[in-house]
Amino acid sequence: MNSINLNISFEQYSGIDELTEKDRTLCQQAEQALATSYSPYSKFRVGTAIRLASGEIVLGSNQENLAYPSGLCAERVALFAIGTKNPEAVIESMAITAQTDHFEILKPVTSCGGCLQVMIEFERKQQSPIEVIFYCLNGEILKVPSVKSLLPFAFAEDRLER
Ligand code: THU
């Protein structure tokens, strides 16, 4: 029997002012994306901003549906839009934030497993890491250097090979 430990490294910031200008802009854009959230059921708005290597920033927000599972998270809305419009795009970084009128969010909201699985697919396809910034509007920010570090045991396409 082997006992193995996995470590992940990430950066923690106490506010948006500590970020580089590029990252600060991305977080501000994610905050802007909250305005287009369609979340009448959860009343929980999620916004994302994705920076491409070209410098273009693509926004996404959660889009809910009366048939709950038909809705989609902000991250996947933005990623699938990139996959459709610009399939060769290289993603450098994505920022994610959330907001609700019902309580104060005091910690960064991190992506769900389904979104991480989609994010890791993009990372593998482009063969370069995607930085992920979880931005809490109240201050604390976490910056992770790659999606792989968040999902080390992700389902991999080699499982489908014969
Ligand atoms: N949500 C996201 O947009 N991203 C995530 O990674 C997790 C959850 C959305 C889905 C739903 O509209 C709302 O947040 C509450 O779960």
Side-chain angles (χ1 to χ4, degrees), residues 37-48 60-65 68 71-77 96-98 109-116 119 134:
S37 165
Y38 177 67
S39 42
Y41 306 107
S42 72
K43 312 221 185 307
F44 191 83
R45 296 185 284 279
V46 183
T48 188
S61 58
N62 56 331
Q63 301 295 318
E64 298 186 348
N65 192 275
Y68 289 5
L72 200 58
C73 294
E75 296 92 319
R76 277 179 274 178
V77 166
I96 297 131
T97 194
V109 169
T110 47
S111 300
C112 74
C115 284
L116 291 177
M119 287 153 70
F134 298 114

Side-chain angles (χ1 to χ4, degrees), residues 35-108:
T36 62
S37 165
Y38 177 67
S39 42
Y41 306 107
S42 72
K43 312 221 185 307
F44 191 83
R45 296 185 284 279
V46 183
T48 188
I50 301 182
R51 190 177 65 240
L52 306 180
S54 64
E56 187 188 348
I57 293 182
V58 177
L59 304 186
S61 58
N62 56 331
Q63 301 295 318
E64 298 186 348
N65 192 275
L66 178 58
Y68 289 5
S70 300
L72 200 58
C73 294
E75 296 92 319
R76 277 179 274 178
V77 166
L79 288 167
F80 291 151
I82 292 168
T84 304
K85 194 176 158 224
N86 195 354
E88 304 306 321
V90 173
I91 297 171
E92 278 184 359
S93 187
M94 58 194 289
I96 297 131
T97 194
Q99 190 181 49
T100 175
D101 298 333
H102 296 272
F103 56 91
E104 211 180 352
I105 299 175
L106 297 171
K107 289 272 170 205

